[in-house]
Every structure is written in structure tokens, then in C-alpha cells.
Amino acid sequence: MAQDKNEANKRLIEKMNDLEDDYGQKFSNTQKILLTTDGSITAILDVLYGKIELDTLDQHLEDADAEHAKLVNVNEGDEINFREVLMHKGEQPLIYAISHVPLGRCSKEVCNDLLRADIPIGRILKNYHIESRREVNNIFIEKPNDKLKELFGTDEDFLARDYVIINNDEILMWIKEMFPVSYFAEI
């Protein structure tokens, strides 16, 4: 297990180094932590800014298409919860995130909190003492769409990552988090 963890850490460091080389820019330690952590982004932001807030921009149940079924390892047509959120402190947006959660893998209480909205996933997992691990799949740069440009007031590139949260050897959630490349640069 320790060997697997060491290999995963080496892989993330290589991905981070490759991203810096490809983009032609060194990123701050805070940016690197936010992109590579296998812990809760919410907890990190709470430490940096005090307790952050979350606004749910969209949330709905949908049948998994082929792409989303693959992300969370379910059958095409299985019901998943799609959630799009903005983590912020006051009026300052911090992190934009989307998640896909196969509801069949959540307890009734966790599903209720997910559907109730405006509770960060990290806090939900902590509140219910859910033993889980995060595995970062990708770290990358993404061009903002119109929604991101409006939310963050910028058209600069975004740093992004996607990862899965695993519980009992099954994917509990797939999450993509992103923020403008100038954010967290000096912290």
C-alpha cells in the first residue's frame, strides 16, 4: 500500500512538472497543493480563508450516457446525480466544480445531503465519517467557457484537475475542479 502511494505521488509530481513545462510557467506551492492533494479542497480553502461557502449552480438527476458511465464505473442508463457548484468566500469565487455521483452507492443520508445542495462534498464525507480515498486522474489547463468567464470575470486559462473518490473499492464520485491560473499564485 505504501508503495502504491509513493508511485501515485511520483506520478502526480511528474504530471505537475509536465504541466509547468508545457504551459511555460511555474505554479505556486498553493496551486500545486490544490491540484495534487488527495485530501479535501474544502478543508484547504477553509484554512486559507476561514470557512468558505458553496453555491449550487445546477443539480439534477440524469441517466448516465456512455461517457459518464465510464467516469463512475456504472452501466449506461444508471441514475447519477450531476452537480455544478461554486466555492467562494463572500463575493470572491474560488473554485468551480462539477461532480457525477451514482446514487446507488450512497446511503440515504448522504444522498439527501447531496440533493439538499450547498454542502461541499468534503464536508459531507467528513460529517458521515465515510472512509474514502481520492485518486487524481488528470491535472491540466482548460480554456474557460462563457459560464466560467462570467463567474470569475476573466477569460484567462484555468488550472484544472479531475479525480475520483473511492469507497469500498467502488467509485463513489467523479469530480472536476478548476480555477483561473492567476488564483492562489501568491499564497
Side-chain angles (χ1 to χ4, degrees):
M1 187 68 143
Q3 179 76 16
D4 291 344
K5 182 88 168 153
N6 287 337
E7 288 302 315
N9 287 340
K10 283 182 190 175
R11 185 178 56 84
L12 284 175
I13 291 168
E14 287 172 13
K15 282 185 176 194
M16 198 70 240
N17 291 337
D18 290 344
L19 185 65
E20 287 179 327
D21 290 344
D22 293 345
Y23 198 65
Q25 179 178 326
K26 293 291 182 193
F27 299 112
S28 73
N29 288 337
T30 302
Q31 289 170 321
K32 290 176 185 180
I33 289 167
L34 291 171
L35 291 170
T36 62
T37 185
D38 61 1
S40 166
I41 288 283
T42 305
I44 293 168
L45 293 174
D46 284 346
V47 167
L48 293 174
Y49 296 98
K51 190 172 180 180
I52 61 145
E53 303 160 76
L54 181 135
D55 287 336
T56 301
L57 307 172
D58 182 22
Q59 179 164 252
H60 60 270
L61 301 176
E62 60 186 36
D63 293 337
D65 60 16
E67 177 188 350
H68 296 110
K70 186 177 179 182
L71 289 175
V72 292
N73 197 28
V74 297
N75 295 318
E76 210 171 317
D78 284 0
E79 188 175 55
I80 58 173
N81 181 62
F82 169 84
R83 186 162 93 148
E84 178 184 36
V85 300
L86 183 66
M87 296 179 226
H88 61 93
K89 182 66 177 184
E91 296 299 312
Q92 176 64 46
L94 298 171
I95 304 271
Y96 168 85
I98 59 173
S99 63
H100 299 284
V101 181
L103 293 180
R105 295 190 184 143
C106 296
S107 70
K108 184 178 178 184
E109 295 80 18
V110 169
C111 283
N112 286 341
D113 276 0
L114 268 175
L115 297 173
R116 209 175 62 186
D118 296 344
I119 303 173
I121 286 173
R123 287 197 190 124
I124 292 171
L125 295 173
K126 186 177 180 182
N127 290 346
Y128 292 101
H129 307 288
I130 295 173
E131 240 180 83
S132 62
R133 71 180 191 280
R134 288 172 173 80
E135 291 184 3
V136 177
N137 297 323
N138 299 298
I139 301 169
F140 51 99
I141 300 287
E142 189 167 306
K143 297 287 183 196
N145 60 24
D146 290 340
K147 180 181 264 184
L148 290 172
K149 288 177 187 178
E150 183 180 331
L151 288 169
F152 287 86
T154 184
D155 63 354
E156 69 183 285
D157 293 339
F158 276 63
L159 288 167
R161 74 182 193 146
D162 74 78
Y163 62 96
V164 290
I165 296 177
I166 298 173
N167 172 256
N168 294 324
D169 293 325
E170 289 189 304
I171 296 173
L172 187 62
M173 303 169 184
W174 174 89
I175 300 172
K176 177 179 168 184
E177 297 167 334
M178 45 199 312
F179 54 89
V181 75
S182 65
Y183 276 44
F184 314 108
E186 297 185 19
I187 296 177

